[in-house]
Amino acid sequence: GGSGSREAVERLVRAHPVVVFMKGSPAQPLCGFSNAVVQILRLHGVEDYRAHDVLQDPDLRQGIKNYSNWPTIPQVYLNGEFVGGCDILLQMHQNGDLVEELKKLGIRSALLDAEKDQDKK
């Protein structure tokens, strides 16, 4: 199949520890929810991730929705596992789960260092 086939999508989600399917690019997100995901990752200091612009590829846009069984974009994958969209990532950010999930991938959240600085003051 093409870029929207299950195999193609699976290859993309497994190609990197952090994969985001979004509208636009991290430098230029084209929807508020995609922008929110980019901002949350930035807060944690996660710069090294794969972002795929679904607006460039209608097949992929449909394929990723089928793959995750989740109707909306953006979608975030950690270690090949579907995490969720903007709301879920925001929730994980707020309750500390995202720091833990990143730690499992060997990624140290920048927020941990920010908290240490707070303690010194």
Side-chain angles (χ1 to χ4, degrees):
S3 60
S5 73
R6 192 161 183 89
E7 299 77 35
V9 170
E10 186 141 346
R11 267 200 302 280
L12 292 182
V13 304
R14 295 185 185 287
H16 199 273
V18 184
V19 182
V20 178
F21 296 84
M22 61 183 291
K23 295 177 182 176
S25 66
Q28 212 175 4
L30 295 177
C31 85
F33 300 113
S34 290
N35 183 47
V37 164
V38 168
Q39 296 302 335
I40 290 167
L41 290 174
R42 191 169 290 156
L43 279 173
H44 288 265
V46 182
E47 300 291 338
D48 177 26
Y49 61 95
R50 265 319 131 72
H52 298 280
D53 180 1
V54 299
L55 298 181
Q56 302 284 339
D57 191 339
D59 279 354
L60 177 58
R61 185 177 186 170
Q62 191 51 51
I64 194 68
K65 292 176 182 181
N66 296 346
Y67 181 82
S68 59
N69 208 9
W70 185 262
T72 55
I73 307 289
Q75 294 188 13
V76 179
Y77 289 78
L78 297 178
N79 232 10
E81 296 288 322
F82 175 57
V83 173
C86 173
D87 304 355
I88 292 170
L89 199 67
L90 185 58
Q91 200 178 330
M92 288 172 67
H93 165 62
Q94 288 167 338
N95 65 19
D97 287 350
L98 188 53
V99 169
E100 290 305 313
E101 289 302 318
L102 290 172
K103 195 183 286 178
K104 288 180 196 166
L105 306 183
I107 300 170
R108 182 178 169 80
S109 168
L111 291 183
L112 292 171
D113 300 323
E115 281 166 19
K116 279 220 301 281
D117 294 343
Q118 293 295 316
D119 295 342
K120 285 178 199 147
K121 285 170 191 152

